[in-house]
Amino acid sequence: INCIHITTAAEMYDEVMAHFSSVDIFIASAAVADYTFEKTHPHKLKKGEEVLSLNLVRTKDILAALVHMKNRQLVVGFALESGNDSSKALSKMKAKGLDAIVYNTLSDSGAGFGPDTNKVTLYKKDGSHTDFPLQPKRQLAKALWNDFIEQWF
């Protein structure tokens, strides 16, 4: 494992772009941030006006950029939704040109960010899907990894 330490979403974008051509599988488990500050300051901002406005700009979309660089790589994204509608995940997979997307919902008991368990559905661009039942996240990660290897390599 080669660990590359970054601080900002822009640094992550640059590092992913620099190393993507050398990978076989790229798994994007979460967006870094959808928005970032338009302007940053190298020092603390002192009190001034009663109201301080911060302008946000869209962060570069790493997955969308990879579509244009992809040749042999398997590119997998994740989609966490608040309801039980997988259509947003499927739209995301198509729009970003992903090979697969792992969909889960906050609506399922024992799933999402907080618990040590999760329940997901893996959708593939060929239209197939696999449901993974509620299980410990470490076990789920191994099951997903095995599916990627068996199906694509």
Side-chain angles (χ1 to χ4, degrees), residues 109-136:
S109 178
F113 294 118
D116 291 332
T117 56
N118 208 350
K119 170 186 169 184
V120 303
T121 300
L122 174 64
Y123 290 98
K124 299 174 186 170
K125 70 178 179 181
D126 68 4
S128 66
H129 72 277
T130 305
D131 294 318
F132 292 86
L134 187 68
Q135 57 190 295

Side-chain angles (χ1 to χ4, degrees), residues 40-54:
T40 59
H41 299 274
H43 51 80
K44 177 183 173 187
L45 293 178
K46 297 289 185 182
K47 288 182 185 174
E49 301 293 323
E50 281 295 314
V51 176
L52 176 65
S53 295
L54 300 172

Side-chain angles (χ1 to χ4, degrees), residues 26-122:
F26 184 87
I27 301 171
S29 60
V32 178
D34 291 331
Y35 292 90
T36 190
F37 294 108
E38 181 177 47
K39 180 180 177 183
T40 59
H41 299 274
H43 51 80
K44 177 183 173 187
L45 293 178
K46 297 289 185 182
K47 288 182 185 174
E49 301 293 323
E50 281 295 314
V51 176
L52 176 65
S53 295
L54 300 172
N55 293 325
L56 301 175
V57 294
R58 292 277 319 231
T59 303
K60 289 181 183 177
D61 189 326
I62 293 172
L63 275 178
L66 292 181
V67 171
H68 305 292
M69 298 175 62
K70 182 180 166 195
N71 50 39
R72 71 184 194 298
Q73 295 92 343
L74 168 67
V75 180
V76 180
F78 274 65
L80 174 66
E81 301 296 339
S82 56
N84 282 320
D85 182 8
S86 62
S87 65
K88 289 181 184 176
L90 293 168
S91 294
K92 178 180 179 179
M93 180 175 65
K94 184 176 181 180
K96 294 185 186 259
L98 304 176
D99 295 300
I101 195 157
V102 179
Y103 162 75
N104 65 328
T105 174
L106 292 171
S107 301
D108 290 333
S109 178
F113 294 118
D116 291 332
T117 56
N118 208 350
K119 170 186 169 184
V120 303
T121 300
L122 174 64

